[in-house]
Amino acid sequence: MTPSTRKFLFGSALVVSAGLCTGLVAYYSGALPGRAPRTEFSYIPADVSAVAFADVRDIMDSEFSQRVRDAVPTGAEKSRLLAETGIDVERDIDTVLAGISGDGPGGPLVVMRGRFDVSRIEALAVQHGARQEQYGGRSMLVGLSAQAAPQAPAEGYVPSLAFLDDGLLAIGDAGALRKAIDVAASGQDLATNPDMMRFVAGVQGSGNAWLVGRADQVARQPQVPEQFRSQIEAINWVAISADIDRDVRGMIRAEARDEESGQQLRTMVAGALAAARMFGEQDARLAAILGAVQASGAGRNVELSFTVSPTVLDLIKTAAHPPTPALPEPVVP
Amino acid sequence: MTTPTSAAATRREAPAPPGLWTGAWRVFDLSIGQMLWSRRTVFMALVVGLPVVVALVLRGLVIVGAQPFRPPATGPIVFGMMIWGFFVRLAVPVLAIFYGTALIADEVEDRTITYLFTRPVPRAAVLLGKYFAFLVCTVAVVLPAVVVLWLLIVPIDGRLSAAFPALAADLGIVAVGLAAYGALFAFVGATLKRPLLFGLLFVFGWEVFATALPGYLRQLTVAHYLQALVPHAMPSDGAVAMLQMVFRDTPGLVHSLGGLAVITVVALAAAARRVTRREYVLEH
């Protein structure tokens, strides 16, 4: 081996070792790199039972969204949020990330990225009874009116808002917001939950809206009916993703507790799908929807993929607003 | 006139021919320099340098205050996609094709195989030595590129601490992939007349086709076992990726590593056997 070859191999080993040592030090100290975390994920605690994401801008601009808007005119909730906080969902928000906790009064923590008029939001919130507070170097508005909250008020729930970063705003319970700020500072965020991140990475990029959650924590909720609980208990994780564009292409994936449960779940899903197809063949809308549903999976996994085409939406729209029958022509004597 | 005693002493002093591993080491020592300072390494450096250049551009954007990724994309996610989409699916198989198929085929083409085969080392040692030289050479170029990429990309909206386990895994995956693909294409190079064409058809034809089909065909690919090690980075866009997702039957870690080990050992043994038994006819 020539000296130049030896030097090259030594240099290569040095680069790899330096990278691994840097990573190792960072891993055990949790302090590197120097730049502060800036993403929405940095504020979601590692112990949430579910996390959901929506690229609001992409969805709002999609052709499918326009059709839904025509079919189902809404606006009450949107107007209420606009009146309470000055946030226009369609105009101001780009993405929404929600972390849902399985227990406690915290409720969901909703982190929104977009363009926010801070002074206007503060003025409106204070006008509606909120008080300003500083926590962990972030400005918070504590005690918003219940209408602005992302969930129905529960005991101990204090609807609040926090300006986390430039273009990053969070809504949720005051305690949950304070915890989110602490989480971002300590680095103990969602990224430190490898089980959930495995599923999050699987659905990221597969659509403009997705949800990942621990099914067993959902099963523990008292409001879940007993007959569903036994089914859910066989599932560990659920991941749902949807790509909303001209049509909606979605995928629901469940990871069962073990291979036997996975097999049972696949059989159950296939049976339910076959039964639904049999009973739904008389209804053109239902038949069209069910025709685009495919069940698959292996081992512990069960997958259900579906497509809702514009044609199906037109069928639903027609059913919701049936065309007015033409009046009979007057008989001229 | 020599006595029987002195003749025996002379026989004892004659150096014994090196064994398989000693011979392999000598061939490795000879080949590593040749491989490292060849045009192929320049090509390899260009291939693996491409994502590093992209990463440098992205870092430049961050320095000037631009947001290079659109949420929810972050540095760790982009790094994972680069490992999956570029290194595992493209760079590793392509480098293994270009180096692996050339281990013996180049010596035959250059008509220098005779010089190697007339040395007092087992023929299998020639193949093994060249294979390990390929492995060290490619690993020495590719792994630093992955590390530099990681250091540049991950800190963009991400943390090195959280992404370190992924780096360790990715380095292992790239090395294991080079070993498995390299052994397979070493066998192809020792067996076929047009190994490069077969290699390209195997990676970009057969593997894409077989991994997209349901059933057991995918188990006859290297990608099936290698991809299972990086399911977190698997993109789900594109028709083939969607098919792969629908028919996904991901083997576990032990199954994947076992599969890759079996491919490597069987392919190397087959290649060594082929080189030992084959009569290479040098064309004029």
Side-chain angles (χ1 to χ4, degrees), chain B residues 25-45:
Chain B
W25 169 252
R26 286 183 188 170
V27 175
F28 167 83
D29 198 32
L30 180 78
S31 307
I32 182 77
Q34 290 173 350
M35 271 188 203
L36 205 55
W37 307 113
S38 67
R39 273 181 297 181
R40 273 202 180 84
T41 309
V42 177
F43 164 75
M44 176 163 63

Side-chain angles (χ1 to χ4, degrees), chain A:
Chain A
M1 204 182 291
T2 60
S4 52
T5 304
R6 206 169 289 135
K7 276 179 195 164
F8 182 90
L9 294 179
F10 180 73
S12 166
L14 203 65
V15 172
V16 175
S17 305
L20 285 172
C21 288
T22 307
L24 208 61
V25 169
Y27 186 68
Y28 283 106
S29 71
L32 293 171
R35 184 175 164 166
R38 291 285 170 87
T39 66
E40 295 89 322
F41 286 88
S42 311
Y43 295 94
I44 304 292
D47 60 354
V48 290
S49 53
V51 60
F53 171 82
D55 189 334
V56 180
R57 176 70 29 239
D58 208 29
I59 294 169
M60 287 294 180
D61 292 345
S62 70
E63 193 182 317
F64 192 87
S65 173
Q66 300 293 335
R67 281 170 175 270
V68 170
R69 219 169 292 163
D70 293 346
V72 192
T74 55
E77 293 80 7
K78 194 183 73 175
S79 307
R80 204 182 301 161
L81 190 69
L82 184 66
E84 296 289 336
T85 64
I87 299 169
D88 185 340
V89 175
E90 288 193 26
R91 197 170 49 87
D92 298 339
I93 299 172
D94 289 338
T95 62
V96 171
L97 182 74
I100 301 145
S101 293
D103 38 42
L109 169 76
V110 181
V111 184
M112 298 183 279
R113 184 176 284 281
R115 293 154 300 283
F116 306 109
D117 187 341
V118 177
S119 50
R120 183 167 177 242
I121 292 170
E122 280 177 345
L124 276 168
V126 170
Q127 197 182 320
H128 284 86
R131 61 183 165 78
Q132 286 183 301
E133 182 185 307
Q134 287 291 317
Y135 185 84
R138 267 81 164 187
S139 176
M140 283 177 67
L141 293 162
V142 181
L144 299 172
S145 65
Q147 283 86 349
Q151 71 159 37
E155 199 180 341
Y157 184 86
V158 184
S160 307
L161 185 151
F163 299 99
L164 300 175
D165 211 335
D166 188 24
L168 210 58
L169 182 148
I171 295 181
D173 174 56
L177 291 180
R178 290 187 192 108
K179 186 179 176 184
I181 293 166
D182 291 340
V183 159
S186 66
Q188 295 302 308
D189 61 21
L190 195 65
T192 59
N193 182 343
D195 287 340
M196 188 166 279
M197 284 312 286
R198 181 163 61 93
F199 282 86
V200 169
V203 290
Q204 270 182 332
S206 65
N208 42 26
W210 52 259
L211 179 144
V212 168
R214 289 192 65 92
D216 52 352
Q217 288 190 8
V218 175
R220 281 205 289 268
Q221 299 300 308
Q223 58 268 39
V224 175
E226 196 58 44
Q227 61 268 36
F228 285 109
R229 189 169 299 168
S230 60
Q231 300 295 339
I232 297 172
E233 273 173 353
I235 304 170
N236 278 351
W237 289 92
V238 175
I240 303 169
S241 75
D243 189 27
I244 303 164
D245 194 7
R246 191 169 175 272
D247 50 15
V248 176
R249 283 181 291 126
M251 192 266 295
I252 302 168
R253 182 182 165 205
E255 188 184 270
R257 203 171 37 204
D258 48 43
E259 293 212 357
E260 192 187 337
S261 306
Q263 181 60 45
Q264 284 173 359
L265 206 59
R266 279 194 295 279
T267 311
M268 199 178 75
V269 168
L273 203 56
R277 279 182 180 143
M278 194 173 74
F279 291 113
E281 62 186 5
Q282 302 300 323
D283 188 336
R285 285 166 295 149
L286 201 57
I289 293 169
L290 292 170
V293 179
Q294 296 293 327
S296 62
R300 292 160 63 193
N301 293 328
V302 183
E303 284 185 8
L304 207 61
S305 54
F306 61 89
T307 304
V308 181
S309 65
T311 322
V312 172
L313 194 67
D314 286 342
L315 283 168
I316 296 168
K317 198 164 86 176
T318 314
H321 308 287
T324 316
L327 289 172
E329 285 184 13
V331 180
V332 182

Side-chain angles (χ1 to χ4, degrees), chain B residues 206-277:
Chain B
W206 169 249
E207 290 215 312
V208 175
F209 173 73
T211 50
L213 286 179
Y216 296 99
L217 274 182
R218 68 187 64 178
Q219 294 188 6
L220 300 175
T221 66
V222 180
H224 172 64
Y225 304 101
L226 202 58
Q227 288 173 9
L229 299 174
V230 274
H232 59 280
M234 190 183 287
S236 54
D237 54 335
V240 174
M242 282 300 283
L243 273 172
Q244 286 173 349
M245 205 168 79
V246 168
F247 298 123
R248 186 166 50 208
D249 179 17
T250 311
L253 178 71
V254 176
H255 186 179
S256 300
L257 288 175
L260 291 167
V262 167
I263 290 170
T264 308
V265 171
V266 169
L268 266 185
R273 185 184 160 89
R274 185 72 184 142
V275 168
T276 306
R277 297 193 169 193

